Amino acid sequence: MASRSADRRARSGDAEPGLLRALALTLASALVWGVAHLVTGRRLAGGALLGCFVLLAAAGAVAATFFRVDIVELAVKPDWLSGIAAGILVLGLLWVTVVIRSYQLVRPGGLSLGASTAGTVAVAVLCFAVAVPVSWGAYSTYLYRDALTSIFKTGGGNGRPVDAKDPWNGQSRVNVLLLGGDAASNRQGVRTDSMTLASIDTKTGDTVLLSLPRNLESFPMPPGPARDRFPYGFTGDGAGTPGLLNEVYQYAEDHPDLVPGAHKNRRGPELLKATISGILDQPVDYYILVDMFGFADIIDAMGGVRVKITSPIPYGLRGDVLQPGDRVLKGKEALWYGRSRTASDDYTRMGRQKCLLRAIAKQADPQTVLTKFDRLATATKHAISTDIPQELLPAFFALSTKVKDGAQIDSLQFVPPLIHTGNPDFALIRKLADKAVTADRAKSSPSASPSASPTASPTEGGTRPVTGAPSPGSTRTPTNPVSLDEACPS
């Protein structure tokens, strides 16, 4: 009996070093599939696993090097996202199976209970290390797809099928109405206090932002029921709606007969798009509405946004102040930065809002998006509504890449002293909007002349260049757009 016990201890002692070797081979197999199989003489299975691993790695490297844009464009295709999520889970399951099977092949016999338990725990930890990032990847893909399909609906572009080769249907520009909705707790409905038409060159990404003030009055309504009710311009409906441009959205929602056939939450956008199209004499293809309080959640999900404040801005209701200097603003602070009219005016606020959007666009880098993806997806889902269809997302993504990678972004605000909001000169508004868009189009043309540059605008007295772009705190408004890179402090 003593002899048999001693023999077992001897075998167990010989197996202990073998356990370390087995764990090392299992780790190697987790990093490069097939190692354990090849070491144990299973050449066919080992070669197959190694071949699959090399093929997957090579395919990933080639795709990341040569097809990066195509891969990123797949991220805005919901069907592909479903397949990617499923593929990630299958890959993770296969990977964990390889790890477990590798350990089974190289595990030595005769291990003591303690050594056997330690080996099993080590392999379980290794499987966990593989499963966690795989599960996170699949879950994030699901969250992203859910947010994408919640915000963007199917239905083609403007009622027509989207041609993958020509998604813009020959359009040289696409015009998107950017709306900031202020659904405050002390008021009923949504007021679109920020209204900007982004006219984007579909080839270069160069953009002109045409901004209308919230308090514009006496504007014409589009033909149909709206103009029938307000033949001489929008006048509102009593003290609650005195007739300002920011009331049109909610007025349409409250009066379905003005937009027959449109569903709830679509009546406002449709009437406002048509109204602004008439004011500017520019087509409005799509809209994006951002709820300003949801906007604060997006900024918090990013970890804040860095802006340069040039003068003190009152913050909150307790007398706090956003002091001048480089500041990282939290969501509510950024909301006040963009909305505050204390010691300033609507037009100064409009300038700050554009600079805030510019700062967010520049700071929403891939690292920020990836590390805070779940919070960003949830916040974005609840903050944004739009009529941009899913089918156009790849084209819009490619266009946004051009805008982010150095396209010129110019801004023109129709505010005093250029435009008197109480009695606007709509002929002048349309003329200046046309000049801004035409100048941007001419700038991207190889044959553009110097006078067609956005830094100069033809007037009755000749060509007047812009000298000194206004800051967000200035109310001076030139008759031609100015670059946001110059207008926003950095």
Side-chain angles (χ1 to χ4, degrees):
M1 172 115 23
S3 176
R4 286 198 299 272
S5 177
D7 187 52
R8 282 197 300 269
R9 287 196 299 270
R11 287 199 303 270
S12 177
D14 292 339
E16 303 301 332
L19 175 61
L20 296 177
R21 176 177 177 273
L23 292 176
L25 288 174
T26 303
L27 176 61
S29 294
L31 299 175
V32 180
W33 296 355
V35 171
H37 288 72
L38 292 173
V39 169
T40 56
R42 291 165 173 81
R43 295 181 179 180
L44 184 59
L49 286 172
L50 182 59
C52 287
F53 181 83
V54 171
L55 185 61
L56 287 172
V62 170
T65 304
F66 300 104
F67 301 99
R68 184 179 303 174
V69 174
D70 300 290
I71 291 175
V72 175
E73 285 188 13
L74 294 180
V76 290
K77 296 182 177 181
D79 291 341
W80 276 90
L81 290 173
S82 298
I84 289 171
I88 291 174
L89 290 176
V90 170
L91 177 63
L93 182 61
L94 177 60
W95 207 324
V96 169
T97 301
V98 169
V99 171
I100 294 174
R101 181 56 181 159
S102 297
Y103 180 66
Q104 289 176 341
L105 292 176
V106 296
R107 179 181 57 189
L111 290 175
S112 65
L113 178 61
S116 179
T117 301
T120 301
V121 169
V123 172
V125 169
L126 187 55
C127 290
F128 184 76
V130 170
V132 166
V134 168
S135 300
W136 179 86
Y139 176 67
S140 297
T141 304
Y142 167 78
L143 279 182
Y144 176 66
R145 184 190 182 282
D146 179 60
L148 198 70
T149 54
S150 296
I151 297 171
F152 302 95
K153 308 303 182 183
T154 58
N158 283 333
R160 59 174 173 79
V162 175
D163 183 354
K165 294 182 179 179
D166 183 17
W168 307 118
N169 198 32
Q171 291 178 240
S172 61
R173 308 189 72 83
V174 60
N175 293 344
V176 182
L177 181 59
L178 309 176
L179 304 173
D182 192 354
S185 57
N186 61 348
R187 65 163 60 146
Q188 183 177 0
V190 176
R191 298 292 187 269
T192 53
D193 284 348
S194 176
M195 292 165 283
T196 298
L197 184 68
S199 181
I200 312 167
D201 189 299
T202 56
K203 295 189 182 301
T204 66
D206 289 342
T207 302
V208 176
L209 302 177
L210 305 172
S211 298
L212 292 167
R214 71 179 188 93
N215 58 342
L216 195 71
E217 300 180 48
S218 304
F219 48 87
M221 300 300 286
R227 183 170 294 182
D228 293 342
R229 180 170 299 186
F230 301 104
Y232 305 108
F234 184 69
T235 55
D237 188 16
T241 53
L244 307 182
L245 185 59
N246 72 336
E247 300 163 7
V248 171
Y249 184 102
Q250 189 60 40
Y251 193 89
E253 290 294 331
D254 294 338
H255 297 81
D257 56 305
L258 289 189
V259 194
H263 299 292
K264 184 180 179 181
N265 297 326
R266 291 296 182 183
R267 296 189 286 265
E270 289 302 318
L271 185 58
L272 188 57
K273 284 168 60 178
T275 301
I276 289 180
S277 176
I279 292 172
L280 296 174
D281 194 25
Q282 297 288 327
V284 178
D285 300 303
Y286 306 101
Y287 84 94
I288 299 175
L289 171 66
V290 180
D291 175 78
M292 297 306 291
F293 289 91
F295 186 64
D297 293 336
I298 293 176
I299 292 174
D300 282 334
M302 287 177 56
V305 59
R306 179 176 294 278
V307 298
K308 185 172 184 178
I309 300 176
T310 57
S311 58
I313 298 174
Y315 162 54
L317 303 176
R318 299 179 302 178
D320 297 331
V321 175
L322 300 176
Q323 296 294 346
D326 289 322
R327 298 281 182 262
V328 176
L329 304 182
K330 297 179 181 178
K332 289 185 178 179
E333 293 171 335
L335 193 60
W336 276 92
Y337 171 82
R339 296 174 66 240
S340 177
R341 289 195 297 271
T342 305
S344 61
D345 51 35
D346 277 333
Y347 319 119
T348 300
R349 181 175 75 159
M350 289 169 64
R352 287 201 305 267
Q353 287 171 354
K354 288 184 178 59
C355 293
L356 181 62
L357 290 172
R358 172 180 174 271
I360 292 171
K362 286 183 173 292
Q363 294 169 41
D365 55 83
Q367 180 179 352
T368 298
V369 173
L370 286 174
T371 56
K372 301 173 180 179
F373 186 79
D374 53 346
R375 292 186 62 195
L376 277 170
T378 301
T380 302
K381 176 180 172 181
H382 294 115
I384 295 178
S385 61
T386 182
D387 62 352
I388 295 176
Q390 289 180 14
E391 293 86 347
L392 267 180
L393 287 180
F396 264 108
F397 181 85
L399 194 57
S400 69
T401 301
K402 293 178 183 178
V403 174
K404 193 175 178 66
D405 288 347
Q408 181 72 34
I409 303 178
D410 299 324
S411 177
L412 177 59
Q413 300 184 100
F414 296 104
V415 298
L418 177 65
I419 297 297
H420 177 44
T421 57
N423 185 26
D425 184 344
F426 291 106
L428 179 60
I429 289 176
R430 292 161 186 155
K431 179 181 178 182
L432 295 177
D434 181 67
K435 281 184 178 180
V437 173
T438 302
D440 187 70
R441 184 185 299 116
K443 178 184 62 177
S444 63
S445 171
S447 59
S449 63
S451 62
S453 167
T455 59
S457 176
T459 64
E460 287 73 14
T463 300
R464 183 175 66 82
V466 173
T467 55
S471 71
S474 170
T475 57
R476 184 182 74 81
T477 303
T479 57
N480 55 296
V482 294
S483 168
L484 283 187
D485 287 334
E486 298 172 1
C488 298
S490 58

